[in-house]
């Protein structure tokens, strides 16, 4: 799927769906629309933890709760900046979820400068994510801020 097509689908969906349903459907669009996305999840900030919300992939992750500041997800949540890891095997922060994962992108969902959650995407391909993914997923995260 093209980024612009996915963006339009997500915009339309967010206008018509309530929050819990919308989040799962956005995850579904991302997972099903981009072959290189092998696992897609949304974590929500609850106190000092990231708590796994809707997700889609071939299997569940064992990391359903991640302390803020821990791992790539925790780093993105505390810094408020997108984290892009081209090779998870070379990043000491990476919390191993799946043996097949080679790269990861984590995009914070912010509202008024406060991180409410994040989009976490794994890929079985090394260096799978580029500036197009960053821009696209940051737009998606911005759209999601009203649904968290």
């Amino acid at each position: 799927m093209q980024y612009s097509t996915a963006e339009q689908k997500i915009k339309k969906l967010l206008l018509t769906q309530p929050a819990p349903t919308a989040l799962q459907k956005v995850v579904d669009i991302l997972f099903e629309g981009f072959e290189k996305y092998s696992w897609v999840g949304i974590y929500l900030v609850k106190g000092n933890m990231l708590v796994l919300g809707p997700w889609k992939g071939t299997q569940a992750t064992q990391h359903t709760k991640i302390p803020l500041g821990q791992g790539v997800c925790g780093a993105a949540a505390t810094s408020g900046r997108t984290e892009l890891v081209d090779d998870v095997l070379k990043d000491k922060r990476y919390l191993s979820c799946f043996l097949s994962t080679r790269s990861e992108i984590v995009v914070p969902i912010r509202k008024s400068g406060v991180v409410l959650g994040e989009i976490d995407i794994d890929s079985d391909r090394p260096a799978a994510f580029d500036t197009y993914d960053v821009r696209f997923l940051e737009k998606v995260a911005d759209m999601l801020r009203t649904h968290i």
Side-chain angles (χ1 to χ4, degrees):
M1 179 181 303
Q2 293 184 349
Y3 296 107
S4 59
T5 303
E7 185 180 342
Q8 292 307 312
K9 279 180 120 173
I10 291 168
K11 275 184 186 176
K12 191 180 216 180
L13 171 100
L14 293 175
L15 290 172
T16 60
Q17 298 292 317
T21 304
L23 294 178
Q24 182 63 60
K25 289 189 177 193
V26 168
V27 165
D28 294 345
I29 289 169
L30 294 173
F31 180 79
E32 293 163 10
F34 297 91
E35 186 180 321
K36 64 183 176 180
Y37 296 1
S38 57
W39 190 90
V40 177
I42 293 178
Y43 282 89
L44 304 172
V45 175
K46 304 281 186 191
N48 291 331
M49 301 289 282
L50 289 165
V51 178
L52 183 61
W55 64 273
K56 189 156 190 175
T58 56
Q59 56 187 353
T61 177
Q62 66 189 30
H63 301 290
T64 58
K65 292 182 180 176
I66 302 171
L68 295 179
Q70 186 177 336
V72 179
C73 288
T78 54
S79 72
R81 292 188 303 268
T82 297
E83 292 282 345
L84 183 63
V85 180
D86 287 335
D87 185 347
V88 297
L89 301 177
K90 293 181 179 176
D91 193 314
K92 292 178 184 175
R93 302 170 303 167
Y94 178 66
L95 300 174
S96 181
C97 298
F98 312 108
L99 293 175
S100 60
T101 299
R102 291 293 170 258
S103 57
E104 180 178 27
I105 186 169
V106 182
V107 181
I109 301 167
R110 295 182 302 271
K111 186 175 187 178
S112 302
V114 176
V115 176
L116 305 174
E118 58 192 24
I119 302 167
D120 179 25
I121 302 179
D122 292 351
S123 180
D124 295 344
R125 303 176 191 177
F129 309 105
D130 57 26
T131 56
Y132 295 106
D133 294 287
V134 171
R135 276 183 278 193
F136 165 65
L137 293 168
E138 286 178 349
K139 284 182 187 177
V140 173
D142 190 52
M143 290 187 273
L144 289 177
R145 68 190 164 113
T146 59
H147 282 70
I148 293 181

